[in-house]
Amino acid sequence: MTTYTSYTVGDPIADTKAPDGPIAERWSRRRFEAKLVNPSNRRKHTVIVVGTGLAGGSAGATLAEQGYRVVQFCYQDSPRRAHSIAAQGGINAAKNYRNDGDSVHRLFYDTVKGGDFRARESNVHRLAEASVEIIDQCVAQGVPFAREYGGLLDTRSFGGVQVSRTFYARGQTGQQLLLGAYQALSRQIEAGNVEMHARTEMLDLIVVDGRARGIVARDLVTGQISVHLADAVVLASGGYGNVFYLSTNAKNSNASAIWRAHRRGAYFGNPCFTQIHPTCIPRSGDHQSKLTLMSESLRNDGRIWVPKAKADTRSPDQIPEAERDYYLERIYPSFGNLVPRDIASRAAKVVCDDGHGVGPGGQGVYLDFGDAIARMGRDKVAEKYGNLFEMYERITAEDPYSRPMRIYPAVHYTMGGLWVDYDLSTTVPGLFAIGEANFSDHGANRLGASALMQGLADGYFVLPATLNDYLARASHDAVEPDHPAVAEAVADVEDRLNLLLAIDGDRTPDSFHRELGELLWDECGMARSEAGLHKALDRIPELREEFWRRVKVPGTGAELNQSLEKANRISDYLELAELMCLDALHRSESCGGHFRVESQAADGEAVRDDKDFSYVAAWEFTGSGSAPVLHKEALDFEYVHPTQRSYA
Amino acid sequence: MTAATHGTTSTSTMKLTLRIWRQHSPEDGGSMVTYQIEGVSPDMSFLEMLDVLNEDLILRGEEPVAFDHDCREGICGACGMVINGRAHGPERTTTCQLHMRQFSDGDTIDIEPWRAAAFPVVKDLVVDRSALDRVIQAGGYITAPTGSAPEAHATAVPKEAADFAFEHAECIGCGACVAACPNGSAMLFTSAKVNHLNVLPQGAPEREGRVLDMVAAMDEEGFGGCTNSGECTIACPKGIPLQSIADMNREFFRAATKRRR
């Protein structure tokens, strides 16, 4: 058992693919300079895509349309179920249909600022450019966006920006966009251009002569381990929020694909950047298995408050106006309840830690629609938020029309992920990462309605252009199925599964996951301190050692075995968690979702340190439990000058 | 509804008898197995109650009950079981959104997988619903290769059509309609997609082929025919209306006669 709190600093890395010159021309230039693969030669190239969410689904469909042979995987029973489906709010696009002064440049600016100046300008600008095409593409596919009576698309405003650029399909935008991508993918499956493997999970990456050439996967129904070889591998396997056990992610969303790729040489970027969403339904007890988001749009009309008195157990309607603290409106008078997510979450934690929280365990604040109902009438509120109110009541058995909702922050999204260059290539040539799986364009904090935009930009537009270049430049001799690198990857996977089955200990996989999650939530959640992170870094290796000694996995590997799936994923979380804590420890500034208690102003506001930390932390794996190597990618801001964010 | 005390977490817990379908593999014959479970909180979701049972089974050295689930917020469509004879149980929602406050202390609850010819059992409560994917593959899309799209506002879509499309596009593909139907028919599922796409101007060029091909695929997969029993719409967690089937039938006849001309 080893503990690491130190690391070595390796060579800096540069994003060598982003062209220089005026930012608005960089993407066009990159596309023009990229080599193309002759259409008649594309069929000779096989591309593996892991995941079928917005990024993977759109990439698989598009690459197949271009003529590549696509082999695609998802752990779900159908590609339609990827967790992008649960996104509620909407998707941003700089269409300026409202004539309210929006532009590609403004979306770019808002995203860089919202990310607290920890994202790469070139990438973010490209994202803003692609946003416009995404809406066109989705409308052509039949995505039923909300429309005005004149038949044109409706938009709404979202998350503290000053324009109305969010396109939506009621509270189910993610579902509708995902079904659009799924249907495009289905057309390619039927056409024989995509070989789809559902209920199949990637368990390792095959690297031959320094290039990604395939994956090892497990058929979740039969347990069969299979090898799939290709000319390039695309990971679109989502984020790693489930490392916290309780999150808004789907139960089976996991980090194994990206973590195994990291172990095979792909650097991991900014692992400590996690987003904790302020408006989720609080946990109701120890049995809690996941947390449910209540759309951020509720903050447009709901007022957030806690009782002024500590441990006030009165029913909310018994607490007079004068005894309520509308703390966001008090602290941030100009943005009020609409401050960015990281700020709203931290403020809720502060008031709850101070003893003002409501509901079970004092882990909740009120989101009150009383004033909105008085102002707009119950019917109008129902029209806007009816489905969310219904969902809340179903889960809590409380009626939000007559009693304020209780909300509390929950882990929602991970800005960190595999480091990628401008071409979305990881540090392993031939291995690409798209969507939430990469460290992405959101810096240290993602704005609302930007995740869907990024997933689809990567999958429909960016990757299909840059992958061409990679395939055109590299020569791809066929890899023999008995190549030593293949045999080694298969043996690693089998050994690991066999070991998990053989331990036959006395603790369930979930019991370890819960313990790890609580530790991370306490020490690497909304507020992080040097002492707390050291505590976590001491405890995680112990827990990992205990896991490999005491975990109990019933059944065999040659069947549908959900306990084995879980245990295998948890074994990866037990390594990833350590890297997250180390990253959080080393970044002694506060920025975006990463709040270090040591780096705050007298009024409690986060203090960023641009002099020392204006870089992406890209970590290189050196072995389980062994100190990783830090490679820094310096961030230059030519167009959006870093300022301390202020929402007061 | 046996509601918990409003506004507070109920401290009283329930003791329940569960009779669960256990089937080790597609080839095995399965059977109902009885389990006792205590300490069930009314605030638990139905799947959290099964989580508790499974944790207990693992520690006792028995195999936990396999079931499909993922988002646990009613949108991915992965979960689904027949609870006391009803697809997704007593409320019109997905199994993951069903809460134990719908049950009472001392209840016996029967839990079975979806039963339909086109959905073979994989293990315990897990079934193979890939037939639904193949119905979509047969025509449940609009051909619009990436990059070929015109400007989004080039074609206005009347709000009524957009709303109608959305209401049908809400289908989550869980398969409850098939499980609830005495004939194991997938008409509600198929019609939801046909109606979503056929009402939109973008879907018009492929309108006839879509409905004919999807209905043919549905028949090939072994789904039964519709006899208007209406069980599907009652079980549908998204409330896809029975009218959807009639609308698809109209599309089908229109397409069939047009093809013949």
Side-chain angles (χ1 to χ4, degrees):
Chain A
M1 183 177 66
T2 47
T3 299
Y4 65 68
T5 52
S6 60
Y7 54 90
T8 52
V9 179
D11 296 334
I13 44 174
D15 172 17
T16 55
K17 306 281 180 48
D20 45 21
I23 197 160
E25 292 168 22
R26 289 180 192 169
W27 179 228
S28 313
R29 275 185 50 207
R30 179 71 193 113
R31 268 187 296 187
F32 178 71
E33 285 163 10
K35 286 188 80 171
L36 301 175
V37 177
N38 184 309
S40 60
N41 284 335
R42 292 184 193 155
R43 191 68 202 156
K44 296 173 190 161
H45 290 287
T46 299
V47 179
I48 285 173
V49 181
V50 179
T52 58
L54 285 179
S58 59
T62 305
L63 294 171
E65 285 162 3
Q66 290 186 341
Y68 292 109
R69 186 174 167 269
V70 174
V71 183
Q72 193 145 1
F73 299 83
C74 68
Y75 70 73
Q76 298 90 345
D77 72 320
S78 161
R80 69 178 292 151
R81 307 207 198 280
H83 195 57
S84 304
I85 205 155
Q88 296 171 356
I91 178 166
N92 288 329
K95 281 286 197 185
N96 194 30
Y97 283 159
R98 294 278 175 177
N99 196 24
D100 58 2
D102 200 7
S103 63
V104 166
H105 195 83
R106 188 179 295 279
L107 175 53
F108 157 69
Y109 175 89
D110 287 346
T111 307
V112 172
K113 180 190 172 201
D116 215 1
F117 306 96
R118 291 293 174 264
R120 203 187 273 153
E121 279 190 333
S122 308
N123 284 51
V124 178
H125 199 279
R126 176 178 64 192
L127 176 66
E129 291 171 55
S131 71
V132 176
E133 289 176 274
I134 291 170
I135 301 303
D136 299 341
Q137 181 60 33
C138 296
V139 166
Q141 290 171 343
V143 169
F145 284 118
R147 288 184 183 262
E148 307 270 17
Y149 281 99
L152 301 179
L153 294 164
D154 193 14
T155 55
R156 58 187 175 194
S157 56
F158 220 76
V161 298
Q162 287 151 314
V163 293
S164 180
R165 66 159 75 102
T166 304
F167 295 79
Y168 66 100
R170 251 177 249 176
Q172 286 148 255
T173 317
Q175 179 198 25
Q176 294 310 318
L177 295 173
L178 181 67
L179 292 179
Y182 159 75
Q183 287 162 203
L185 184 65
S186 295
R187 187 167 78 87
Q188 295 302 316
I189 294 170
E190 175 79 353
N193 301 327
V194 174
E195 180 185 307
M196 183 68 224
H197 298 265
R199 289 201 199 270
T200 307
E201 185 164 24
M202 166 179 164
L203 293 185
D204 211 342
L205 179 73
I206 295 169
V207 181
V208 177
D209 300 331
R211 290 173 181 275
R213 295 305 303 271
I215 65 167
V216 181
R218 179 170 182 268
D219 182 320
L220 299 180
V221 175
T222 63
Q224 195 185 0
I225 304 293
S226 56
V227 169
H228 304 267
L229 298 170
D231 300 323
V233 176
V234 180
L235 298 187
S237 52
Y240 51 91
N242 266 348
V243 66
F244 287 89
Y245 187 73
L246 287 180
S247 81
T248 64
N249 287 5
K251 284 295 285 176
N252 300 299
S253 293
N254 67 81
S256 288
I258 57 171
W259 190 253
R260 300 300 167 97
H262 175 59
R263 291 178 63 115
R264 295 275 175 204
Y267 294 178
F268 207 114
N270 297 332
C272 80
F273 286 174
T274 48
Q275 178 163 81
I276 298 186
H277 197 291
T279 53
C280 301
I281 300 176
R283 52 190 284 183
S284 68
D286 292 340
H287 55 265
Q288 193 86 31
S289 63
K290 79 150 276 163
L291 295 166
T292 301
L293 182 82
M294 289 277 102
S295 170
E296 178 163 319
S297 62
L298 290 169
R299 286 199 278 147
N300 279 305
D301 288 302
R303 296 181 70 195
I304 294 175
W305 62 275
V306 289
K308 282 186 179 167
K310 292 185 182 185
D312 190 337
T313 53
R314 285 177 293 173
S315 166
D317 56 355
Q318 299 300 312
I319 301 177
E321 199 63 24
E323 293 175 38
R324 301 175 175 191
D325 179 13
Y326 294 89
Y327 59 91
L328 287 178
E329 297 171 22
R330 174 170 59 78
I331 307 169
Y332 306 101
S334 65
F335 275 72
N337 294 298
L338 284 173
V339 290
R341 291 174 174 180
D342 51 337
I343 292 173
S345 292
R346 211 153 47 235
K349 176 179 161 58
V350 169
V351 294
C352 291
D353 287 354
D354 206 28
H356 299 277
V358 298
Q363 298 284 291
V365 300
Y366 289 125
L367 177 60
D368 196 336
F369 288 85
D371 285 358
I373 290 167
R375 189 178 72 246
M376 304 191 280
R378 185 188 159 111
D379 289 352
K380 191 80 188 163
V381 170
E383 190 183 303
K384 276 178 104 167
Y385 304 116
N387 57 342
L388 294 168
F389 278 31
E390 199 180 297
M391 187 164 159
Y392 180 85
E393 183 168 9
R394 201 187 294 287
I395 292 173
T396 62
E398 293 176 9
D399 173 16
Y401 291 102
S402 60
R403 184 186 176 97
M405 282 185 178
R406 286 176 297 109
I407 54 162
Y408 197 67
V411 174
H412 179 56
Y413 186 88
T414 50
M415 282 75 70
L418 293 182
W419 184 89
V420 289
D421 65 16
Y422 188 67
D423 281 359
L424 305 180
S425 168
T426 69
T427 48
V428 176
L431 178 69
F432 294 78
I434 60 176
E436 194 180 347
N438 71 28
F439 88 101
S440 95
D441 305 344
H442 308 294
N445 174 58
R446 181 175 65 71
L447 288 178
S450 284
L452 304 184
M453 172 174 69
Q454 186 227 336
L456 291 180
D458 286 1
Y460 281 132
F461 299 108
V462 182
L463 179 83
T466 60
L467 188 66
N468 261 316
D469 185 69
Y470 173 78
L471 293 172
R473 285 176 196 277
S475 69
H476 305 278
D477 298 332
V479 175
E480 294 303 322
D482 60 354
H483 190 284
V486 175
E488 186 205 318
V490 171
D492 281 359
V493 165
E494 287 177 342
D495 289 350
R496 194 179 179 96
L497 296 175
N498 289 336
L499 184 56
L500 287 168
L501 288 161
I503 297 166
D504 195 25
D506 58 358
R507 283 187 65 176
T508 63
D510 269 349
S511 75
F512 285 100
H513 197 176
R514 282 177 195 273
E515 189 176 343
L516 176 70
E518 272 176 36
L519 182 67
L520 274 188
W521 178 248
D522 289 343
E523 311 302 349
C524 197
M526 278 185 281
R528 295 127 182 222
S529 71
E530 186 176 342
L533 290 164
H534 274 291
K535 185 179 154 199
L537 284 165
D538 285 342
R539 180 63 190 138
I540 293 166
E542 291 171 4
L543 194 61
R544 188 165 62 224
E545 183 272 336
E546 193 179 334
F547 173 87
W548 284 105
R549 194 162 40 81
R550 291 183 57 187
V551 75
K552 186 176 181 75
V553 181
T556 71
E559 60 182 328
L560 177 68
N561 187 336
Q562 294 172 330
S563 305
L564 181 62
E565 293 166 27
K566 267 187 206 170
N568 192 47
R569 293 165 189 161
I570 294 164
S571 73
D572 289 326
Y573 292 142
L574 286 163
E575 294 182 359
L576 166 60
E578 196 173 19
L579 186 66
M580 290 169 67
C581 291
L582 178 69
D583 187 45
L585 180 66
H586 113 280
R587 190 174 282 275
S588 58
E589 66 162 349
S590 295
C591 62
H594 171 64
F595 184 75
R596 279 290 299 268
V597 297
E598 298 88 352
S599 186
Q600 56 180 313
D603 61 357
E605 288 304 311
V607 174
R608 216 175 55 232
D609 175 359
D610 290 333
K611 188 169 78 55
D612 294 323
F613 290 102
S614 186
Y615 62 81
V616 176
W619 297 93
E620 179 185 358
F621 184 79
T622 61
S624 180
S626 119
V629 179
L630 171 64
H631 300 271
K632 297 178 183 178
E633 181 202 339
L635 292 170
D636 295 318
F637 294 92
E638 292 175 63
Y639 292 87
V640 188
H641 189 66
T643 50
Q644 206 71 38
R645 287 190 310 172
S646 170
Y647 294 92
Chain B
M1 170 170 163
T2 54
T5 319
H6 254 47
T8 51
T9 306
S10 173
T11 47
S12 63
T13 60
M14 295 181 277
K15 191 175 168 184
L16 302 166
T17 302
L18 306 176
R19 294 192 300 202
I20 304 178
W21 183 260
R22 303 300 309 257
Q23 178 174 344
H24 195 259
S25 71
E27 298 77 32
D28 289 357
S31 62
M32 298 296 277
V33 178
T34 302
Y35 301 93
Q36 304 295 332
I37 182 167
E38 293 179 26
V40 175
S41 153
D43 291 324
M44 283 180 182
S45 71
F46 196 83
L47 298 184
E48 285 168 348
M49 183 274 293
L50 288 179
D51 289 342
V52 171
L53 173 73
N54 277 344
E55 289 286 284
D56 192 40
L57 290 176
I58 293 173
L59 291 177
R60 293 194 335 227
E62 293 176 43
E63 275 217 45
V65 179
F67 60 90
D68 269 326
H69 66 103
D70 208 14
C71 79
R72 295 204 179 190
E73 49 188 278
I75 194 75
C76 77
C79 67
M81 23 190 111
V82 175
I83 299 164
N84 288 340
R86 293 176 64 176
H88 290 309
E91 261 194 310
R92 192 180 198 177
T93 183
T94 55
T95 302
C96 65
Q97 292 293 291
L98 177 66
H99 283 72
M100 295 312 293
R101 61 182 79 94
Q102 299 293 324
F103 299 91
S104 307
D105 188 33
D107 277 0
T108 296
I109 306 174
D110 286 347
I111 309 171
E112 297 168 85
W114 284 169
R115 304 274 188 198
F119 291 165
V121 173
V122 174
K123 183 175 184 175
D124 297 338
L125 305 172
V126 177
V127 299
D128 178 355
R129 287 170 292 192
S130 56
L132 297 181
D133 285 321
R134 290 188 290 274
V135 171
I136 298 294
Q137 286 159 20
Y141 50 77
I142 289 172
T143 301
T146 306
S148 64
E151 153 60 37
H153 271 178
T155 307
V157 179
K159 184 168 165 45
E160 297 71 30
D163 288 348
F164 180 89
F166 178 84
E167 279 153 20
H168 291 82
E170 278 196 276
C171 168
I172 57 174
C174 64
C177 50
V178 178
C181 177
N183 312 320
S185 169
M187 286 285 271
L188 196 69
F189 169 83
T190 307
S191 67
K193 189 49 65 188
V194 166
N195 293 327
H196 158 208
L197 298 175
N198 278 18
V199 72
L200 294 171
Q202 289 84 1
E206 294 165 297
R207 185 173 166 184
E208 288 86 18
R210 175 177 301 117
V211 64
L212 295 174
D213 292 346
M214 289 179 75
V215 168
M218 192 178 75
D219 291 342
E220 265 172 47
E221 293 293 341
F223 292 107
C226 174
T227 49
N228 276 320
S229 74
E231 296 284 343
C232 53
T233 191
I234 293 168
C236 176
K238 293 294 156 187
I240 308 290
L242 193 59
Q243 175 69 32
S244 179
I245 294 177
D247 289 341
M248 180 173 77
N249 282 336
R250 197 158 46 241
E251 283 293 305
F252 184 86
F253 290 124
R254 181 182 168 281
T257 47
K258 201 169 169 186
R259 279 269 166 105
R260 210 174 293 145
R261 276 204 298 269

